[in-house]
Amino acid sequence: MSNVASEGADYPLLSLLDSPADLRRLPPQRLQPLADELRRFLIQSVSRTGGHLAAGLGVVELTLALHYVFDTPEDRLVWDVGHQAYPHKIITGRREQMAGLRQSGGISGFPKRSESPYDTFGVGHSSTSISAALGMAIAARRQGLKRHSIAVIGDGALTGGMALEALNHAGSMRDLDLLVVLNDNDMSISKPVGAMSNYLAKVLSSRFYNSVRDGGKATIGKIPGMRDFMGRWEEHMKGMVMPGTFFEELGFNYIGPLDGHDLPSLLTTLGNMSEMQGPRLLHVVTQKGRGFHPAENDPCVYHGVTPFDPDTGEMNGGSGRPTYTQIFGQWLCDKAEQDPRLVAITPAMGEGSGMVAFRERFADRYFDVGIAEQHALTLAAGMACDGLKPVVAIYSTFLQRGYDQLIHDVALQNLDVTLAVDRGGLVGADGATHGGTFDLSFCRCIPNLLVMAPADEVECQRMLETAYRYPGPALVRYPRGTGPGAQPGTPPQPLEIGKGRIVRQGEGLAILSFGGLLGSALDVAERCNATVADMRFVKPLDEALLGELADGHATLISLEENAVQGGAGSAVNEWLAAQGRPVRLCNLGLPDRFIEHGSQDQQRADAGLDAEQLWARIKRWL
């Protein structure tokens, strides 16, 4: 048992809960003291493990209310993204397991179906909850089951086109039991209006109000012309005091805004809404980071945290070396100083992509489009059509969501767009949902696209410069975290397109390294006197260097932190086969499975890509 979980004296109510069934046995007046304990527990637990903090602190009361009112897991509760799901994990039987959160062999930082029956849908990417909950509601109707389906989505996730598509679809299905809870934690949709809004939410969700409204409509509807008049009157009256006209027009019965930290109001309103029919939407307003002053003051910084001091909020320091993300951020600012055509685009990942300084210095050239990766790519394409030089900063895992736009809108038109693809390869504690393990495979098959993978910090800087100067679409894919410690120079010199380099000369065996595993390749090479090539370019390949290595070595090994299927090694295979060169070749990369969360070093060991296992694998193959 974890130290935190065993301290029953500090958490007398929380220690009694092993499931939501235990929660539902508590009288309502004990829920607020329980919420206070749950919030303290969450702060203490995440201070030890690191993870996502501010979002979870904001939904403590909402989480308790949802599990109290609804019969989970029979009723399906779907969380969007999962950053906000830590309180949910704690009260669904995983309190003691929080000590191993996001660690190798421990529980995931996101809802995961294989982990708990209460995790009804696996998430990690944004804006999926309404689609999934709608699918579950349709399944319940088809099977004749009386079961609620509830999606909890943040206001940020609502910017994703997929969420709006799901709302549009769901609103037309009047016979489904679907509740969407909109967690507005940044006041980006509307401001709360205090006691009056809470009162209105309770009234508008009450059985009396809805029976009068529906009965009145049925009666008045028999009078010629009155149905349209009453419909317009109700819409205008609600529009005067409520921000939900948009959702009502989509077909949802909208209730809110409601104070998401007012447990009595939440319980009453959710209880009323559980008895309603058809699609309905509850709008709650919460405070990110609630109950922990550092997170309240700066919820962005405390969105994702390393281990920290729970009293002061001070986080553990890093290695002191700049990360690849920071190198990109500095290059972006330097380049913007030189070229007024440069504009930068991010799909809601400005901080994570290292763009804070750029946003502050070049506010009119910074475009955060929200969680809308498809729009980000086509926006860049439009800018490039008319003389701007767009740089799109995006995580590898999120580039997957803009794949059609990358092909159809950027590459097909051969537009001058630079893609800075962060988190390429294994990403550590965020696990498989955020791993950038397929980008080399799905990008190298796209015509016109230049694809590069740096081995160190200097190479990253030079590749960004190369991509920016390239007159067509170009992509630089770099890892999460720090590199080997190479010191970037200024100004960076661009690379010759499609040219790799020999970094160690040996004999017999040559290792072709693509990206950040160069250090492991050199370690292995020292044991067997192998040649090592830093290939640099995945597309176009350095065919002259490949020919030289094939002629001078009996065996070639390709190495990449990407899926083997269709990756950089496959490109080498294809070229050798086309040339008819009878060279023995082994492709080493990520296995054909998802790599679970842990540290990046643990993940590489799990995938057989650390130096010791690489050497063992090569010896077995030879």
Side-chain angles (χ1 to χ4, degrees):
M1 181 179 292
S2 71
N3 290 333
V4 175
S6 65
E7 295 169 357
D10 292 332
Y11 310 102
L13 290 173
L14 188 60
S15 63
L16 298 176
L17 303 186
D18 291 319
S19 72
D22 298 328
L23 169 69
R24 291 189 280 270
R25 284 191 280 269
L26 294 175
Q29 60 269 26
R30 302 193 76 183
L31 293 188
Q32 188 57 59
L34 174 62
D36 297 337
E37 289 185 20
L38 178 53
R39 190 167 271 114
R40 293 201 315 271
F41 179 94
L42 180 60
I43 293 168
Q44 290 291 333
S45 179
V46 177
S47 76
R48 292 176 167 90
T49 62
H52 295 101
L53 181 64
L57 289 173
V59 295
V60 168
E61 289 84 4
L62 178 60
T63 303
L64 292 177
L66 287 167
H67 281 290
Y68 195 83
V69 170
F70 294 99
D71 184 23
T72 55
E74 176 59 25
D75 288 333
R76 305 303 201 231
L77 180 58
V78 182
W79 296 93
D80 212 283
V81 184
H83 299 146
Q84 56 190 336
Y86 290 7
H88 160 83
K89 286 179 178 270
I90 292 167
I91 66 169
T92 54
R94 287 167 280 181
R95 183 177 70 250
E96 296 181 13
Q97 294 171 273
M98 288 294 290
L101 179 75
R102 293 161 41 99
Q103 298 170 25
S104 181
I107 61 173
S108 170
F110 301 99
K112 188 175 183 180
R113 281 173 54 84
S114 61
E115 189 177 291
S116 169
Y118 292 93
D119 292 357
T120 59
F121 195 75
V123 293
H125 288 189
S126 173
S127 312
T128 62
S129 61
I130 303 175
S131 297
L134 175 59
M136 294 172 184
I138 293 171
R141 184 187 63 181
R142 291 283 298 169
Q143 297 169 59
L145 299 174
K146 296 294 184 182
R147 186 172 67 203
H148 300 289
S149 296
I150 307 107
V152 184
I153 184 168
D155 55 326
L158 203 64
T159 65
M162 185 175 176
L164 299 176
E165 292 169 8
L167 285 171
N168 181 59
H169 182 199
S172 66
M173 308 185 78
R174 307 302 304 166
D175 57 343
L176 289 181
D177 191 342
L178 175 68
L179 170 62
V180 175
V181 178
L182 171 58
N183 174 28
D184 179 359
N185 58 26
D186 201 22
M187 300 185 186
S188 60
I189 295 176
S190 64
K191 294 183 179 181
V193 290
M196 180 58 72
S197 75
N198 289 345
Y199 170 74
L200 286 170
K202 287 188 282 187
V203 168
L204 291 174
S205 69
S206 69
R207 185 182 303 172
F208 172 78
Y209 171 84
N210 281 278
S211 64
V212 169
R213 184 184 69 167
D214 294 340
K217 284 182 177 179
T219 302
I220 294 174
K222 299 175 183 177
I223 303 173
M226 287 301 292
R227 175 178 289 275
D228 288 343
F229 170 77
M230 289 302 297
R232 290 194 299 273
W233 176 85
E234 180 184 28
E235 177 180 318
H236 289 310
M237 288 300 294
K238 291 183 77 173
M240 289 174 64
V241 293
M242 313 296 288
T245 304
F246 169 74
F247 299 108
E248 293 274 2
E249 290 294 333
L250 285 174
F252 280 76
N253 191 347
Y254 170 91
I255 305 297
L258 184 69
D259 181 352
H261 303 296
D262 182 344
L263 265 168
S265 294
L266 283 171
L267 294 174
T268 300
T269 304
L270 284 170
N272 290 336
M273 296 187 80
S274 71
E275 299 178 8
M276 298 164 114
Q277 299 299 312
R280 55 259 193 219
L281 186 142
L282 173 62
H283 178 181
V284 300
V285 177
T286 63
Q287 180 186 19
K288 252 186 171 181
R290 187 175 180 90
F292 187 52
H293 291 303
E296 289 178 351
N297 294 333
D298 200 339
C300 187
V301 167
Y302 287 86
H303 167 71
V305 297
T306 59
F308 62 91
D309 185 326
D311 295 321
T312 66
E314 183 178 353
M315 282 184 255
N316 294 352
S319 66
R321 300 199 306 270
T323 64
Y324 284 101
T325 301
Q326 291 168 331
I327 288 166
F328 163 71
Q330 184 61 58
W331 170 85
L332 187 67
C333 288
D334 292 344
K335 202 67 196 173
E337 289 279 9
Q338 302 166 15
D339 190 346
R341 297 173 300 164
L342 185 150
V343 288
I345 301 169
T346 177
M349 294 305 296
E351 287 78 15
S353 294
M355 303 173 77
V356 173
F358 182 91
R359 181 178 63 201
E360 293 172 351
R361 294 174 56 187
F362 306 98
D364 61 332
R365 294 154 69 181
Y366 172 79
F367 299 89
D368 184 342
V369 301
I371 302 173
E373 294 87 356
Q374 294 171 311
H375 168 57
L377 270 293
T378 303
L379 174 69
M383 290 174 166
C385 282
D386 279 349
L388 297 181
K389 292 272 288 182
V391 177
V392 180
I394 190 168
Y395 288 10
S396 170
T397 185
F398 301 139
L399 181 60
Q400 296 165 187
R401 310 186 102 194
Y403 189 52
D404 178 61
Q405 288 68 31
L406 177 59
I407 295 173
H408 186 271
D409 297 336
V410 176
L412 179 61
Q413 303 184 91
N414 201 26
L415 293 172
D416 187 0
V417 175
T418 297
L419 293 114
V421 180
D422 204 335
R423 270 67 165 178
L426 298 167
V427 297
D430 282 337
T433 60
H434 283 57
T437 55
F438 309 109
D439 49 21
L440 298 185
S441 299
F442 69 70
C443 286
R444 77 169 188 84
C445 61
I446 302 175
N448 294 332
L449 182 63
L450 188 72
V451 181
M452 294 171 278
D456 60 36
E457 298 90 338
V458 171
E459 291 288 294
C460 183
Q461 194 183 54
R462 296 186 69 187
M463 287 179 184
L464 288 166
E465 187 70 19
T466 304
Y468 190 78
R469 296 192 188 192
Y470 184 70
L475 181 154
V476 182
R477 181 252 206 188
Y478 45 91
R480 180 176 193 169
T482 58
Q487 295 298 315
T490 51
Q493 297 303 307
L495 300 171
E496 184 180 350
I497 301 296
K499 292 299 179 183
R501 57 174 179 154
I502 299 292
V503 294
R504 187 188 189 281
Q505 187 65 56
E507 57 184 24
L509 172 69
I511 303 175
L512 286 58
S513 179
F514 294 87
L517 293 177
L518 181 62
S520 296
L522 289 168
D523 190 323
V524 170
E526 290 294 330
R527 307 180 191 205
C528 58
N529 192 28
T531 295
V532 177
D534 174 15
M535 296 301 296
R536 288 175 165 164
F537 290 83
V538 177
K539 184 173 188 175
L541 284 173
D542 187 340
E543 296 179 358
L545 179 57
L546 269 180
E548 176 187 327
L549 293 170
D551 290 341
H553 301 80
T555 303
L556 301 181
I557 305 283
S558 68
L559 180 60
E560 61 192 299
E561 197 166 288
N562 183 84
V564 169
Q565 293 88 340
S570 293
V572 176
N573 296 353
E574 293 159 11
W575 186 84
L576 290 173
Q579 297 297 310
R581 292 176 179 267
V583 180
R584 196 176 182 205
L585 173 64
C586 176
N587 301 134
L588 296 180
L590 296 174
D592 187 21
R593 58 182 172 85
F594 292 104
I595 306 298
E596 296 297 334
H597 53 272
S599 70
Q600 285 173 285
D601 286 343
Q602 288 169 330
Q603 287 186 312
R604 290 183 185 112
D606 181 23
L609 292 181
D610 61 317
E612 290 299 325
Q613 291 191 75
L614 282 173
W615 174 228
R617 292 171 69 184
I618 290 172
K619 283 195 296 183
R620 284 195 302 271
W621 183 76
L622 290 174

